[in-house]
Amino acid sequence: MAYTELIKTFSRIRRYLLEFYVYGFKSREEYNRRSSRSYDDERRRLESLLADNIRCRRTVESKTVYISVDSRTGEHNPFFRVLKAKSFTDGDITLHFILFDILSSPDISLSLSEITELIDERLSGFELPRTFDLSTVRKKLNEYCREGIIIGEKRGRSIYYRRSEDIPPCDRDMLDLFTEIVPCGVIGSFLLDRTENRDSIFRFKHHYLNGAIDSEIMYGIFDAIGNKCFADIVTESRRYNENGSILVPLKLMISTQSGRQYLMAYDTLSRRIKPIRTDRIQSIKTAQPCPEYDRYRSLLDRMQEHIWGISTESVSSARMEHIDFTVFFYADELHILRRLEREKRCGTVEQLTENTARFSADVYNVTELIPWVRTFICRITEIHISDKAAEKRFLDDIQTMYRMYSAAEERHDIQ
Amino acid sequence: MIFNELYSAYYKAVSEVIRTAADHKVSAGELRHIVEENAFSESVLAIEPALREQRWQLLYEDGSTPLTAYSGMPVTELEKRWLRSLYTDPRIRLFSDDLPSYLEDVQPLFRYEDICVFDRYSDGDPYDDEGYISRFRLILASIHSEQPLEIYVRNRHDEPIKVIMLPKCLEYSEKDDKFRLIGECTGLYVNVVNLGRIISCSPYNGSFTPVKTSRSTTDTLEFDLYDSRNALERVLMHFAHFEKQVIKTASRRYHVILRYDRNDETELLIRILSFGPLVKVTAPKSFILLIKMRLERQKKYIPAANEESSGN
């Protein structure tokens, strides 16, 4: 099939997009899941769609492609452009514009045969005019009724079609902000495309862009949640094998510090609530209503009192794990106490003395906290973890760091 | 469905071509310009011939169009549902006090309570505070009208100080859940103000000569990474929002070069520390020194196990 810039199925390009953005060091030969031709096509496509954000690095052995974005200086998420590259047929685009030329105002209401006649009239000026039969036009009109842009009204035995009412222009500043900070922000970008182009006055810090790649998956998640339904979800494992589960989507969990999003879902087979990364979901389809939905959702809400991140199970066999650590701070370091308070999540903070404070928490999985605890290195006076293996690992890691950055660091590589 | 040709850049470009052609005949050059402005870098290679060869029967040979009444596509149900969702988010109060009537019967795509941003800091800006809301709206308007502002703000010692600023943009951090105003100031004041610390602000109509800072505050951090405990994916995802480059140096070993704002050095330092021994900073020397100082301080409470075997 001849190369085209447009994309037929988003799932094909989704994995390349994520890998170019997050990794960006693999050469053509290392993308061995599909043919090299497939890699060449997707790379060329992304180079066209993402233009300024695609970089190449050449070595003697190979050329690698990576996506580089400093999200504090840019404006809108460049990945939105990829979601605006859906392929279509010559008939689709021709019919689209002619229909909205015919139905140019909400007070024009026409039957299928009237519309088809007017289509022929519009095309009559061309040397070899295209023809659209009644069935094709009806299918397109019905498709647009489902999208909410055309309304079909039954009058007698016929259906009359008119365009739906438009809405007043949206506040552009509001769109510029929310497009970047709420899920499915690409839809805000669609709305922005209807407005006059103008620089956004917003910039974003700590801003991850990869969520846009999972927009379609998030849409599916919200559809199941909104309708309180089961969902058929297909995920990929580490070996990229497909497996199916019937799950009850409950909530979308978003991390502002790791760039990941997770679906929290009740698994009716294992009878547990489990997290699933959205970038590992290949497809999601709303199934039948779940009569127990509210009960599962309440269960999750109660469990969140002991979930640090997204994990609902420990590495050790304990159902609940305990952690506490004490930090020291000088009189001019009161910001440390404020840090503990604002970052404590489901934990508690107790000021012990003028210069010490203790954080403690009971959680399902204590290993989720360890990276955060390490951010207090230089002032941790003591630490206790109920999972002794985790406690030992934490202390061993600190010893390793001492060695890594010691005077003999040249002899001691990263572990 | 979100991935739909209705929202495609090609449809947008062709929409502009048709609107232009309804007004006057579109020349080849004008058509190319419209496509370049609205679609992608290779799009003109597809769109121009499709229209010229009349595979898309929307434009005559002379650049005129039979579609003289085209007025665009209405907003879709999906777009309305997303808009409706915004009105379940507390931050909407910064822009709007009431739900518009045209969204009243629309089912939101998602609700604020269907989402949990689990690691956002808990001391975010007060979006339900009327004073904050009115200052936010004034700042927005002032940015657009390029109106200098007189701002009273609490500094880090909680003392009120006065800042005269030409506001340029608003920076939002999802992690901090805070807005910061960035602008050009007079004198020695830092040109960044946390909106949550502003006491009051009003238009400033006095004479004002902002000081533009020309010194770059960007630096480069380099570190080695060993892919153990899934470190590669975790580290690269964590730092994905930085401009960076990754080079594979050996089996399971990688070198990462990352550009960062020097003003955020302390924050970056603790983020690097969070990965423990899986990441080893190799440059700049000043950054390595900061890590060493922290580790030395930590030794007071968790002593090094065996000073002799480290080679000292």
Side-chain angles (χ1 to χ4, degrees), chain A residues 325-329 337 340 349-353 355-359 381:
Chain A
F325 66 93
T326 305
V327 297
F328 175 89
F329 47 90
L337 190 56
L340 278 170
V349 173
E350 185 193 346
Q351 189 169 0
L352 302 174
T353 67
N355 303 107
T356 58
R358 181 192 296 140
F359 167 90
T381 61

Side-chain angles (χ1 to χ4, degrees), chain A residues 18 31 63 160 180 183 192 212 223 234 247 254 261 284 302 320 322 350 353 358:
Chain A
L18 189 66
Y31 287 93
K63 169 179 157 181
Y160 282 73
E180 296 296 325
L192 277 168
D223 189 58
V234 177
L247 300 170
I254 295 176
Q261 296 86 41
I284 172 168
R302 287 195 305 275
M320 197 72 69
H322 176 83
E350 185 193 346
T353 67
R358 181 192 296 140

Side-chain angles (χ1 to χ4, degrees), chain A residues 5 23 57 72 101 130 173 194 206-208 216 255-257 277 297 374 378 380 399 402, chain B residues 3 10 57 69-70 73 113 119 140 144 170 173-174 226 233 238 245 264 267 274 298 302 305:
Chain A
E5 188 179 49
Y23 299 99
R57 199 182 130 258
R72 287 180 81 176
D101 183 65
R130 247 192 127 93
D173 286 328
R194 297 166 180 276
H206 311 121
H207 188 49
Y208 293 95
E216 201 71 74
S255 168
T256 63
Q257 298 184 39
R277 279 173 55 170
R297 180 73 173 243
R374 288 198 194 109
C378 82
I380 301 170
Q399 295 297 330
Y402 289 159
Chain B
F3 192 53
Y10 275 40
Q57 290 185 342
Y70 176 73
M73 181 181 82
E113 54 263 30
D119 54 7
L140 263 193
H144 287 302
L170 279 167
S173 161
E174 287 147 277
Y226 179 65
E233 200 210 1
H238 184 91
Q245 202 182 325
D264 297 327
E267 183 198 305
S274 73
Q298 184 58 64
I302 301 176

Side-chain angles (χ1 to χ4, degrees), chain A residues 96-98 100-101 103-104 163 166 190-196, chain B residues 6 10-27 30-31 34 38 51 58-59 63-75:
Chain A
H96 172 84
F97 285 99
I98 293 178
F100 283 105
D101 183 65
L103 301 174
S104 56
R163 69 186 280 142
D166 219 329
F190 299 156
L191 287 161
L192 277 168
D193 285 345
R194 297 166 180 276
T195 66
E196 211 177 292
Chain B
L6 291 178
Y10 275 40
Y11 274 43
K12 182 168 182 259
V14 171
S15 174
E16 292 305 311
V17 169
I18 290 172
R19 282 182 211 265
T20 308
D23 180 65
H24 60 269
K25 292 176 187 175
V26 177
S27 67
E30 203 175 0
L31 191 153
I34 292 171
N38 289 280
L51 287 168
L58 302 168
L59 214 59
S64 65
T65 179
L67 311 184
T68 51
Y70 176 73
S71 60
M73 181 181 82
V75 168

Side-chain angles (χ1 to χ4, degrees), chain A residues 387-404:
Chain A
D387 175 2
K388 289 304 164 194
E391 184 180 302
K392 182 176 183 302
R393 201 160 44 241
F394 177 84
L395 294 170
D396 286 348
D397 281 348
I398 292 208
Q399 295 297 330
T400 306
M401 290 172 77
Y402 289 159
R403 291 193 294 274
M404 272 166 60

